[in-house]
Amino acid sequence: MSNKLFINKLYINGAWKFPLEGGTFDVINPATEEVIHQAPAASEADVNEAVLAARAAFDHGPWPKMPGRERAHYLRAIAAGIRARLGELARLESIDNGKPLPEAEWDIGDAAGCFEYYATLAEELDANPVEPIALADGRFTSKAVREPLGVAGAIIPWNYPLLMAAWKVAPALAAGCTVVLKPAALTSLTALVLAEIADAAKLPAGVLNVVTGSGAKAGQALIDHPGVDKLAFTGSGPVGSTVMAAAARDIKRVSLELGGKSPFIVFDDSDIDKAVEWIMFGIFWNQGQVCSATSRVLVQQALYQPLLERLVEETRNITIGSGLDAGVLLGPLVSKGQLNQVLAGIDEARRAGATVVTGGKQPAGFDKGYFLEPTILADVPLDSRAWSEEFFGPVVCIKPFADEAEAIRLANDSRFGLAAAVMSADDQRCDRVAAQLRAGIVWINCSQPTFTEAPWGGYKQSGIGRELGRWGLDNYLETKQITRYDSEQPWGWYIK
């Protein structure tokens, strides 16, 4: 990996700057536990400077006033820059996050596609700038216009570093907003390269600012800043609650994409091979570090035992190793803290009465790295944390059910509602079950496919609002009513 990819400055107001207080933090390769970089740690003063730059770029700069087609030009230039450096970015993502290189390449391609998609939506804003409103009183004419919301503070997680940045930055820029992006401290490297790509695309100064550092310092300074009009956060529920409380103080707009404990219902008429493949993809992709991971698998009784046996067999064949090694399907977890948290959750599940069917420990032969065997838990009590709370690791709970009613009841018995999946050869049953699942995303005969064009977000404690598609653009637009009195007659309220 070339040292030129290791950026050691913050990107503020179109310029690269060392943190005002000179702070840094370690960047650790989770496959080797080696410190590979000292990243810049933003202070509250740095965040303030970034917000003021974004504020000036929005209030006085050309960006929000540009036609959408001009903003689209910049978005496509950023997408082209990402594609031109796809290989470099994927390797950087792999050593920073731990994910297998093919997965990282997929993510980087999707990030470029996200900028391209929102470039098109920016152009469409020009096509329909005004919505006429029919009024009952003919003396008035009225219209609704959509305008950029303002300065957006975007805080992203560590599981899909560049892709999650794209999900927020691309629609915000398309709408005409300016952005301060705060990536996760564990995975900051590709966000800084995104700033480099935006700079090369000649994005106007202050439109995108990237500040790296801790959530406690840089993140808190961003969510507390009165100059931010909108907060967009993806991450854990407890932090999401903190973001929402901070937004409430200033009545900031907020969108939250939080955790899940998503169910996957498999009926007994399902093809075992297909079911096993989608179950594995739904929980072992990205080491299970996926907010929508289908980590509660419900299998109809007649199929339960043969499916479990096949799932165990295939799970034990998964290749574990460094994300840069060919053929690896399961890399390390992102950090030692995350590994310890998942191991503690497995131990707690054991004590609660769950059976570790396979996995549950660090694999043999790995002296370094935050590796964990893919794990299947059976006999998991419904009142245990293992069944109700996300592990955010390669751990799946599996349980039999008797009939459709029980499956739906068990699936919906959760404080989360991000995603759910159902598999059956009966299309009508799939549609019937999908209609009853209390989740923002429902997959039929699959798990986890995600498309930029479709809305993403959850019910209940899984979040507020939707990202992606036109819904993602709406997050960064305000609607203004403009009404005109067109009659030549006096209004008549007060005449001398």
Side-chain angles (χ1 to χ4, degrees), residues 54 57 67 166 215 243 309 312 344 401 422 462 480:
V243 171
E309 291 173 3
V312 169
F401 68 88
V422 55
S462 285
K480 176 185 287 183

PDB file of all heavy atoms in Angstrom, residues 54 57 67 166 215 243 309 312 344 401 422 462 480:
ATOM      1  N   ALA A  54     -18.569  25.510   5.881  1.00  0.00           N
ATOM      2  CA  ALA A  54     -19.774  25.000   5.219  1.00  0.00           C
ATOM      3  C   ALA A  54     -20.891  26.033   5.261  1.00  0.00           C
ATOM      4  O   ALA A  54     -21.648  26.200   4.289  1.00  0.00           O
ATOM      5  CB  ALA A  54     -20.216  23.705   5.894  1.00  0.00           C
ATOM      6  N   ALA A  57     -20.126  28.728   2.692  1.00  0.00           N
ATOM      7  CA  ALA A  57     -20.328  28.203   1.338  1.00  0.00           C
ATOM      8  C   ALA A  57     -21.803  28.086   0.999  1.00  0.00           C
ATOM      9  O   ALA A  57     -22.196  28.241  -0.157  1.00  0.00           O
ATOM     10  CB  ALA A  57     -19.647  26.844   1.200  1.00  0.00           C
ATOM     11  N   PRO A  67     -27.824  25.665 -10.851  1.00  0.00           N
ATOM     12  CA  PRO A  67     -28.768  24.695 -11.416  1.00  0.00           C
ATOM     13  C   PRO A  67     -28.312  23.273 -11.079  1.00  0.00           C
ATOM     14  O   PRO A  67     -27.107  23.010 -10.936  1.00  0.00           O
ATOM     15  CB  PRO A  67     -28.689  24.961 -12.927  1.00  0.00           C
ATOM     16  CG  PRO A  67     -28.109  26.330 -13.061  1.00  0.00           C
ATOM     17  CD  PRO A  67     -27.212  26.524 -11.881  1.00  0.00           C
ATOM     18  N   ALA A 166     -20.921   8.022   0.918  1.00  0.00           N
ATOM     19  CA  ALA A 166     -21.613   8.331  -0.335  1.00  0.00           C
ATOM     20  C   ALA A 166     -23.115   8.451  -0.119  1.00  0.00           C
ATOM     21  O   ALA A 166     -23.773   9.322  -0.703  1.00  0.00           O
ATOM     22  CB  ALA A 166     -21.312   7.255  -1.376  1.00  0.00           C
ATOM     23  N   GLY A 215     -15.572  10.186  18.355  1.00  0.00           N
ATOM     24  CA  GLY A 215     -16.957  10.591  18.482  1.00  0.00           C
ATOM     25  C   GLY A 215     -17.167  11.514  19.667  1.00  0.00           C
ATOM     26  O   GLY A 215     -17.962  12.457  19.603  1.00  0.00           O
ATOM     27  N   VAL A 243     -27.641  11.815  19.450  1.00  0.00           N
ATOM     28  CA  VAL A 243     -27.750  12.720  18.303  1.00  0.00           C
ATOM     29  C   VAL A 243     -29.134  13.362  18.276  1.00  0.00           C
ATOM     30  O   VAL A 243     -29.279  14.575  18.065  1.00  0.00           O
ATOM     31  CB  VAL A 243     -27.475  11.960  16.989  1.00  0.00           C
ATOM     32  CG1 VAL A 243     -27.796  12.825  15.778  1.00  0.00           C
ATOM     33  CG2 VAL A 243     -26.023  11.487  16.937  1.00  0.00           C
ATOM     34  N   GLU A 309     -28.309 -28.883   9.705  1.00  0.00           N
ATOM     35  CA  GLU A 309     -27.145 -29.725   9.420  1.00  0.00           C
ATOM     36  C   GLU A 309     -26.380 -29.200   8.203  1.00  0.00           C
ATOM     37  O   GLU A 309     -25.139 -29.148   8.209  1.00  0.00           O
ATOM     38  CB  GLU A 309     -27.598 -31.165   9.186  1.00  0.00           C
ATOM     39  CG  GLU A 309     -28.114 -31.853  10.450  1.00  0.00           C
ATOM     40  CD  GLU A 309     -28.722 -33.203  10.184  1.00  0.00           C
ATOM     41  OE1 GLU A 309     -28.703 -33.650   9.010  1.00  0.00           O
ATOM     42  OE2 GLU A 309     -29.225 -33.842  11.146  1.00  0.00           O
ATOM     43  N   VAL A 312     -24.582 -25.859   9.093  1.00  0.00           N
ATOM     44  CA  VAL A 312     -23.372 -26.093   9.889  1.00  0.00           C
ATOM     45  C   VAL A 312     -22.238 -26.570   8.983  1.00  0.00           C
ATOM     46  O   VAL A 312     -21.093 -26.086   9.074  1.00  0.00           O
ATOM     47  CB  VAL A 312     -23.649 -27.113  11.005  1.00  0.00           C
ATOM     48  CG1 VAL A 312     -22.341 -27.554  11.662  1.00  0.00           C
ATOM     49  CG2 VAL A 312     -24.591 -26.527  12.044  1.00  0.00           C
ATOM     50  N   ALA A 344     -18.078 -11.848  24.256  1.00  0.00           N
ATOM     51  CA  ALA A 344     -18.822 -11.737  25.512  1.00  0.00           C
ATOM     52  C   ALA A 344     -20.291 -12.068  25.290  1.00  0.00           C
ATOM     53  O   ALA A 344     -20.930 -12.707  26.146  1.00  0.00           O
ATOM     54  CB  ALA A 344     -18.674 -10.326  26.090  1.00  0.00           C
ATOM     55  N   PHE A 401     -40.124 -23.033  13.958  1.00  0.00           N
ATOM     56  CA  PHE A 401     -41.467 -22.536  14.215  1.00  0.00           C
ATOM     57  C   PHE A 401     -42.473 -23.510  13.618  1.00  0.00           C
ATOM     58  O   PHE A 401     -42.146 -24.301  12.720  1.00  0.00           O
ATOM     59  CB  PHE A 401     -41.667 -21.131  13.643  1.00  0.00           C
ATOM     60  CG  PHE A 401     -41.660 -21.046  12.137  1.00  0.00           C
ATOM     61  CD1 PHE A 401     -42.834 -21.231  11.395  1.00  0.00           C
ATOM     62  CD2 PHE A 401     -40.490 -20.757  11.431  1.00  0.00           C
ATOM     63  CE1 PHE A 401     -42.832 -21.135  10.017  1.00  0.00           C
ATOM     64  CE2 PHE A 401     -40.480 -20.671  10.049  1.00  0.00           C
ATOM     65  CZ  PHE A 401     -41.648 -20.863   9.335  1.00  0.00           C
ATOM     66  N   VAL A 422     -38.201 -13.355   3.987  1.00  0.00           N
ATOM     67  CA  VAL A 422     -39.068 -14.530   3.982  1.00  0.00           C
ATOM     68  C   VAL A 422     -38.753 -15.350   2.744  1.00  0.00           C
ATOM     69  O   VAL A 422     -38.526 -14.806   1.660  1.00  0.00           O
ATOM     70  CB  VAL A 422     -40.561 -14.133   4.024  1.00  0.00           C
ATOM     71  CG1 VAL A 422     -40.931 -13.186   2.886  1.00  0.00           C
ATOM     72  CG2 VAL A 422     -41.453 -15.357   4.015  1.00  0.00           C
ATOM     73  N   SER A 462     -35.217   1.232  14.980  1.00  0.00           N
ATOM     74  CA  SER A 462     -34.186   1.117  13.944  1.00  0.00           C
ATOM     75  C   SER A 462     -33.943   2.426  13.207  1.00  0.00           C
ATOM     76  O   SER A 462     -33.094   2.472  12.313  1.00  0.00           O
ATOM     77  CB  SER A 462     -34.557   0.020  12.942  1.00  0.00           C
ATOM     78  OG  SER A 462     -34.351  -1.259  13.508  1.00  0.00           O
ATOM     79  N   LYS A 480     -40.954  25.126   0.343  1.00  0.00           N
ATOM     80  CA  LYS A 480     -41.405  26.495   0.621  1.00  0.00           C
ATOM     81  C   LYS A 480     -42.691  26.774  -0.154  1.00  0.00           C
ATOM     82  O   LYS A 480     -42.783  26.489  -1.354  1.00  0.00           O
ATOM     83  CB  LYS A 480     -40.325  27.494   0.215  1.00  0.00           C
ATOM     84  CG  LYS A 480     -40.734  28.957   0.379  1.00  0.00           C
ATOM     85  CD  LYS A 480     -39.658  29.886  -0.163  1.00  0.00           C
ATOM     86  CE  LYS A 480     -38.447  29.926   0.755  1.00  0.00           C
ATOM     87  NZ  LYS A 480     -37.432  30.891   0.262  1.00  0.00           N
TER      88      LYS A 480
END
